[in-house]
Every structure is written in structure tokens, then in C-alpha cells.
Amino acid sequence: MALIETHLVDDNYHVAFWSNVALIDIWDDMDAERMRVMCAAYKTLIERYPAGIVGLVLLQPSTPVSSAEARQEITRQMNDLSAHLHHVAMVVEARGVMALMLRSVVRGVNVLLRRSSISLEVSVDNAVQKLRPFLARDATDGVDGLKA
């Protein structure tokens, strides 16, 4: 079974790898530079899993809506990664108006992507189920034990 490996800890987010899954926990502003660094983490994981990777992204309640520049950057980066980034499942932990705003931004980015897709999931468990078909063999043994 694959082990979880911390890849990057920043003041605003944390990236870990578990098999071919990039686990990203975001709790503060993601500017364009942070989007580039996050996508560089995806590229590192793609080097290990050239057949393809997925992302599980948690947007914590404190996460603000990213700037237009940051949204353009993530769209560009994800289009560049699309041949190897099979799917990104996002869980918006915020509630109310902020949650609606974050979901609207994610949907807008998804419309601009050529091949990669982003889904908005109501829970980590739902996100894991959405990603299950794309998991590498070393992850499938442990996915049943993966809980939020």
C-alpha cells in the first residue's frame, strides 16, 4: 500500500502525495505564483506516474476567492497538464455565500479546461469515490481505509 508523503508546506496550503493522488489542502489565498508552484507539484507526481494522476483538493472555510490572474494561471497550467491529469475532485468546506462564490469560480475554470475535469464533491468520501477509477494499482488496496 502507498504511503502519504508530504511534498510541500506553505503558509497558505499543504501538498501531499499518496500513490498517484495529489492531496491539496488550501486555507488561504492562492495567488498566481502559488498556483504555479502547486502545478509544479502535479508535474513532480506525473514524473512518478506517467500514466496519469488525480487531485483531491480541500478548500477550507477560510479560503478566499482567487484573483483573476490566479484563475487564469491555474487554467493555463491545468490545460498544460491535461494529458496526464485525469481528474481533480474538489471539496468546498465553506458554507453559505462564500461556498457559492468558490463553487462558481471552480465551475468557471472547469468550462475553460480542454481535457482535464474538475468535480465539486460534497465530502471527502464522495471525492475518493469519484477518483477511484483513476487510482494507480498501489493505491487501490488502501482506498477502502481512506477516510476524511
Side-chain angles (χ1 to χ4, degrees), residues 43-127:
K43 291 174 185 173
T44 297
L45 193 57
I46 288 168
E47 289 174 6
R48 297 181 194 178
Y49 293 89
I53 67 166
V54 295
L56 194 161
V57 179
L58 301 173
L59 297 176
Q60 299 298 331
S62 57
T63 307
V65 173
S66 296
S67 68
E69 178 188 11
R71 293 191 307 268
Q72 288 174 338
E73 183 62 30
I74 194 63
T75 301
R76 187 182 70 72
Q77 291 282 338
M78 288 187 70
N79 276 326
D80 289 348
L81 297 170
S82 66
H84 300 284
L85 182 59
H86 296 307
H87 193 82
V88 176
M90 299 188 82
V91 179
V92 177
E93 300 275 320
R95 301 285 179 252
V97 174
M98 181 53 80
L100 291 172
M101 290 171 43
L102 288 168
R103 287 184 185 102
S104 293
V105 167
V106 170
R107 286 184 186 110
V109 168
N110 203 26
V111 167
L112 299 173
L113 296 178
R114 288 189 296 262
R115 290 185 56 204
S116 295
S117 65
I118 302 172
S119 65
L120 288 163
E121 304 299 330
V122 297
S123 69
V124 171
D125 289 337
N126 285 24

Side-chain angles (χ1 to χ4, degrees), residues 1-2 18-19 132-145:
M1 175 180 12
W18 178 67
S19 181
R132 184 184 287 266
F134 306 105
L135 296 179
R137 185 162 299 202
D138 63 344
T140 54
D141 292 339
V143 75
D144 292 325

